[in-house]
Amino acid sequence: MPDPIASNKPWQEVAASLQAHRDATIAAVRTPLPPLPSSIPRNTMGLAAQLLTGDEVAITETAPEALLSQLSAGKLSSTAVTSAFLRRAALAQAATNCITELLPERALARAQELDAHLVLKGTPVGPLHGLPISVKEHVTMGGGLKTNAGFCAWAEHEGPNALILNYLWDAGAVFYARTTQPQTLMHLETSNNIYGASVNPFNTALTCGGSSGGEGALVGFRGSCLGIGTDIGGSIRSPAANQGLWGLRPSAHRLPNTGTTSTMMGEEQIVPVIGPISTSLEGVKVFTKTLIDQRPWLKQPDLIPIGWRDDVQWLKKNDKGAKKLKIGILSDDGVVRPHPPVLRAINEVVDKLKGVDGVEIVEWKPYKHDLAWDVIARLYFCDAGREELQAMEASGEPPRPLTKFIIHENSHVPKQAYTAPEIWKFTRDRDSYRTQYAEHWNSTGGADGSDMVDVILCPVGPGAAPPLDQSKYWGYTSQWNLLDYPALVFPVRCTPPHLVLPICI
C-alpha cells in the first residue's frame, strides 16, 4: 500500500491539481481539437465525424488487426496512427471524462522510433509494432509518471513499469493514454473524488462500467482500439458489456499482473487478473498471444507455464469424426432475473447457434449462485476494508456512493478484520464451492462424463448499462472470479453475452 502524500493539502486541492495536469496533457496534443459544441449530446458517438479529419476517423475506427497489418507493411506510419488516437482520446475525454493523462510527447517519440526502425530494418519490431495501446491508470507506468489508483492520498505515488508493459513494449506497442478507475477499484462503475464520474459514450446519463471503466469508455468511443484492464469481480467484463466491446477475463496466474497499485496487495483469496478490452476478437487474441509467447512465467514465477495453443483438441468429436461444441445456456442465475433486452439478446444468439453444424445447445441450471456471492463477498474485504478506509482517511476524502455500498452497506464485510483461522475457514468454503461446481459441470456429461458441456453462454449482467451509482449486482460476473473460470464478453447488438470456460485461458 503506497504512502500517502507528504503534504497537508486538502483532498479537493489534490484533485484540482491532478485535473489541471490532465488538462495540460490534453492541451499538448497537436493539432488541438476545434471548439466543441456548446451542448454535447447524450449520445456522443457523432462527435468524431464532426471534429476530426476523415483520415483520423478512418484510422481510429479500423480494427486493431487491420491496423497491425498496415503498420507492419509500412502502409500506415505509427506516427499517423498514434496522432489520430491521441486526438480522438482527447475528444473522448471531453465526451466521457475517461482520461487521467495523455502522453503525446513520449508516445510520438516512440512512434517515430518504430517508423524509423521499419524503414531501416525492413521488419517490424514485434507483433504489436506501432499500435497505440491505452492503459488503466493503476497499472504502474515508469518514467516519473504518478499512479493514484483512485485515491487522493496516493497522488504522488510512482514506480517502475508494470511487468506487462515491458512485454507489450518489447512487442512494439505505443502507450499514449492512461484511463480512469473508481475509488477503491471495487465498483462496477468508475467514479472517484479526483476526476468525478466517467460515463458511457452512447448515453452519458449511464455508466461506462467499472472498474476498468475509463478503458471501456475510451475504447467504446474509439479513442483506443485495444486497452489494458484488470478484473476481480467484473472489472473488465462490465465496461466491455456496457460499450458493446470484446473483453477477456483470463484465469488467474495466466497473464503478468505484477506492478499494479492497489489496496490489499498480496491477498490470495480472490486473485485479481489483467486482460484486454478491444474493438475486435482478434485484438483480444493478439494481445493475449503476444504476452504468452514471451513466456512471462520466467519473470513472474506464479504464472502458469502453458504456451499459446491455436488447436482445439479439447473439443469432442461426433460419430462422424467432426468437431462438436456443447454449449450450456444460462439465461437466469436464479438470483436476479435479467431485463427483457438481455434475455432477447441471449435468445437471438441461441437461435443462431441452433443452425450451426456441430453445435449442441442445452440448458444450464445454475448451481447455488446465491451461495457463491456469500462466499466471494466475505473474501473481498478480509481486513474489514481497513486499507481502503485508511487510504481515504489519509486525505479526508469522502467515500463515493458505491464505496459506501460495497464496504459500509455490505453485510458480508466484517466489523473487524478476520483472524487467520477465519480466513482459512472462508477459503475452505471457496474451495468447497469450486469442487461442488466442478461436480455440477461434470454431471452434464452423463454417467461417464464423456459428453459434458464445453462452455456456458450467459449474460454479463441483469441489464444494459445502468444509471450512475446503481451498479449493485455483481453476481453474473463475480461468479466466475470465485470459480476462477476464464470469461470472454462479446457484443450482440448493444447487449453483450458472456462465454465462460472451465479451463485455463
Side-chain angles (χ1 to χ4, degrees):
M1 178 173 172
D3 294 328
I5 53 175
S7 75
N8 295 318
K9 293 180 181 178
W11 69 266
Q12 297 94 331
E13 190 173 330
V14 173
S17 176
L18 291 180
Q19 290 175 33
H21 168 74
R22 176 202 59 201
D23 294 347
T25 67
I26 291 171
V29 173
R30 298 291 180 253
T31 307
L33 293 174
L36 299 175
S38 57
S39 177
I40 294 178
R42 279 194 174 183
N43 186 338
T44 68
M45 296 303 291
L47 291 176
Q50 298 175 37
L51 301 172
L52 301 180
T53 69
D55 285 347
E56 288 167 340
V57 171
I59 287 170
T60 53
E61 295 184 0
T62 298
E65 65 273 18
L67 287 175
L68 286 169
S69 176
Q70 295 177 69
L71 285 162
S72 64
K75 295 179 180 178
L76 276 176
S77 71
S78 180
T79 301
V81 173
T82 301
S83 296
F85 276 105
L86 279 166
R87 295 195 77 226
R88 190 147 184 167
L91 186 56
Q93 165 57 27
T96 67
N97 191 35
C98 61
I99 297 293
T100 65
E101 64 181 330
L102 294 182
L103 308 169
E105 184 176 346
R106 65 167 65 190
L108 289 172
R110 166 68 166 169
Q112 290 162 8
E113 172 189 291
L114 293 167
D115 289 338
H117 179 278
L118 188 63
V119 170
L120 182 63
K121 302 291 186 179
T123 57
V125 165
L128 298 177
H129 179 93
L131 187 71
I133 290 179
S134 49
V135 183
K136 186 177 182 180
E137 192 266 4
H138 87 114
V139 179
T140 308
M141 192 174 291
L145 299 181
K146 312 296 184 182
T147 305
N148 59 65
F151 292 113
C152 294
W154 293 8
E156 293 301 315
H157 174 69
E158 62 180 82
N161 269 354
L163 182 57
I164 191 171
L165 299 185
N166 292 336
Y167 285 119
L168 295 174
W169 180 276
D170 290 345
V174 177
F175 305 125
Y176 71 106
R178 305 180 76 199
T179 56
T180 53
Q181 66 262 308
Q183 181 188 62
T184 76
L185 295 168
M186 294 294 286
H187 303 180
L188 288 185
E189 297 188 12
T190 297
S191 69
N192 58 55
N193 289 319
I194 301 171
Y195 305 106
S198 301
V199 295
N200 194 304
F202 295 95
N203 184 340
T204 57
L206 305 179
T207 179
C208 56
S211 65
S212 308
E215 282 299 315
L218 181 64
V219 180
F221 190 82
R222 299 304 190 265
S224 172
C225 63
L226 183 60
I228 304 174
T230 57
D231 192 309
I232 197 171
S235 293
I236 287 173
R237 292 158 290 159
S238 159
N242 286 3
Q243 271 78 211
L245 301 168
W246 298 80
L248 173 67
R249 180 236 178 250
S251 306
H253 307 295
R254 192 61 172 124
L255 299 184
N257 65 344
T258 57
T260 58
T261 301
S262 70
T263 55
M264 300 186 291
M265 295 293 290
E267 67 85 15
E268 296 182 318
Q269 280 60 53
I270 305 297
V271 178
V273 301
I274 201 162
I277 298 176
S278 180
T279 56
S280 75
L281 176 60
E282 284 300 313
V284 170
K285 178 180 176 180
V286 71
F287 179 97
T288 309
K289 184 178 186 299
T290 293
L291 292 168
I292 290 174
D293 282 351
Q294 294 182 76
R295 301 191 296 170
W297 49 86
L298 296 179
K299 292 186 178 179
Q300 186 178 327
D302 67 331
L303 297 181
I304 301 168
I306 298 176
W308 180 266
R309 295 175 294 188
D310 282 308
D311 63 79
V312 286
Q313 295 301 319
W314 55 273
L315 283 178
K316 299 177 289 292
K317 295 183 179 180
N318 62 20
D319 53 7
K320 297 180 180 178
K323 294 288 175 63
K324 173 185 172 184
L325 183 67
K326 188 173 182 178
I327 302 177
I329 307 300
L330 192 163
S331 298
D332 184 332
D333 70 355
V335 183
V336 174
R337 184 166 176 77
H339 295 176
V342 175
L343 294 174
R344 184 174 68 245
I346 293 288
N347 290 335
E348 287 179 359
V349 175
V350 170
D351 288 344
K352 293 287 186 182
L353 289 171
K354 285 179 178 177
V356 177
D357 188 39
V359 172
E360 179 184 358
I361 300 294
V362 298
E363 179 187 0
W364 180 271
K365 295 181 179 179
Y367 179 80
K368 298 182 179 180
H369 283 217
D370 52 348
L371 173 61
W373 175 251
D374 290 343
V375 173
I376 196 171
R378 286 194 181 96
L379 293 172
Y380 275 141
F381 299 102
C382 292
D383 67 343
R386 176 185 173 188
E387 288 201 357
E388 283 78 9
L389 297 174
Q390 286 179 339
M392 290 182 282
E393 290 166 359
S395 69
E397 65 172 294
R400 303 289 293 192
L402 288 182
T403 299
K404 293 179 183 178
F405 163 73
I406 199 61
I407 296 179
H408 298 290
E409 299 168 14
N410 182 356
S411 62
H412 297 90
V413 175
K415 301 301 181 185
Q416 295 182 335
Y418 292 139
T419 62
E422 287 174 326
I423 293 176
W424 298 335
K425 190 271 181 190
F426 294 135
T427 303
R428 290 196 301 273
D429 291 344
R430 177 203 68 186
D431 293 344
S432 174
Y433 184 80
R434 288 177 174 178
T435 299
Q436 293 170 43
Y437 213 89
E439 292 172 353
H440 179 60
W441 195 302
N442 293 337
S443 71
T444 66
D448 62 357
S450 62
D451 191 32
M452 70 180 66
V453 162
D454 297 299
V455 62
I456 299 172
L457 177 70
C458 70
V460 186
L468 300 180
D469 300 328
Q470 300 304 313
S471 299
K472 296 183 178 181
Y473 185 65
W474 297 26
Y476 282 97
T477 50
S478 64
Q479 173 74 24
W480 315 114
N481 293 85
L482 176 63
L483 294 169
D484 195 21
Y485 292 172
L488 176 74
V489 171
F490 62 94
V492 176
R493 297 189 178 180
C494 292
T495 309
H498 204 176
L499 279 176
V500 181
L501 287 78
I503 57 175
C504 170
I505 282 186

